[in-house]
């Protein structure tokens, strides 16, 4: 288990969020994840790393959506009240979070970033996501995650 996965475990424990850790074959894409863990796409919290711009200021944010969905960057722009939102690069992701492609967990506070959270994930009893490592996942109740994170509803 890598350093980010350890940080995720510690963060959830500190926040009092019940969770279950699952070690499995590496899975980066939603399809691989579905095949390896047998989860429905609606249960998968896909975390997307975003780069944002305001006049004179650049920043980052994380969007957590159901795996079958695509990010609506116009909606993100409105919700974050920024001039522009676009996908961050793999280099920016690694530098800011320590994560590679497919490893980013759906937490903003852990990385000091705003989190937008898909309200449809709250219809699931449990959600699943990679925990900073393609071979380590966490499952938890999304309402507990929202309680800890206080995200922007997407």
């Amino acid at each position: 288990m890598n350093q980010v996965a350890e940080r995720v475990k510690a963060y959830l424990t500190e926040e009092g969020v019940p969770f279950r850790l699952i070690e499995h074959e590496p899975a980066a894409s939603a399809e691989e994840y579905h095949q390896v863990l047998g989860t429905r796409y609606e249960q998968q919290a896909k975390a997307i790393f975003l780069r944002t711009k305001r006049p004179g200021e650049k920043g980052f944010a994380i969007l957590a959506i159901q795996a079958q969905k695509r990010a609506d960057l116009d909606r993100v722009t409105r919700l974050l009240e920024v001039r522009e939102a676009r996908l961050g690069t793999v280099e920016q992701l690694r530098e800011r979070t320590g994560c590679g492609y497919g490893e980013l967990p759906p937490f903003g506070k852990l990385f000091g970033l705003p989190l937008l959270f898909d309200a449809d994930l709250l219809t699931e009893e449990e959600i699943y996501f990679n925990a900073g490592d393609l071979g380590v996942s966490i499952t938890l109740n999304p309402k507990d995650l929202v309680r800890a994170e206080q995200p922007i509803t997407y």
Side-chain angles (χ1 to χ4, degrees), residues 17-136:
V17 174
F19 67 93
R20 188 166 43 98
L21 189 77
I22 304 167
E23 295 191 35
H24 53 80
E25 292 296 315
S29 71
E31 181 59 33
E32 289 173 349
Y33 205 80
H34 169 73
Q35 290 174 357
V36 169
L37 288 172
T39 58
R40 291 180 293 105
Y41 294 107
E42 294 84 2
Q43 294 175 296
Q44 296 176 32
K46 175 170 64 176
I48 301 170
F49 185 71
L50 302 169
R51 180 174 167 211
T52 61
K53 285 186 182 180
R54 286 188 169 95
E57 179 186 339
K58 293 179 183 175
F60 299 99
I62 296 170
L63 169 63
I65 57 175
Q66 289 180 317
Q68 79 279 11
K69 293 183 178 180
R70 291 179 181 248
D72 178 345
L73 296 180
D74 290 333
R75 185 174 177 190
V76 168
T77 299
R78 287 190 309 276
L79 290 170
L80 290 176
E81 298 177 354
V82 295
R83 188 180 69 210
E84 179 185 359
R86 64 182 186 194
L87 300 179
T89 67
V90 174
E91 294 79 19
Q92 290 167 333
L93 170 66
R94 173 80 59 199
E95 183 178 301
R96 190 68 174 84
T97 67
C99 294
Y101 173 77
E103 297 175 342
L104 185 65
F107 300 111
K109 286 183 180 178
L110 187 65
F111 304 110
L113 300 172
L115 173 67
L116 296 100
F117 193 80
D118 183 354
D120 289 339
L121 286 165
L122 293 170
T123 64
E124 299 296 328
E125 288 184 28
E126 284 187 315
I127 58 171
Y128 295 78
F129 51 87
N130 279 338
D133 183 316
L134 294 180
V136 178

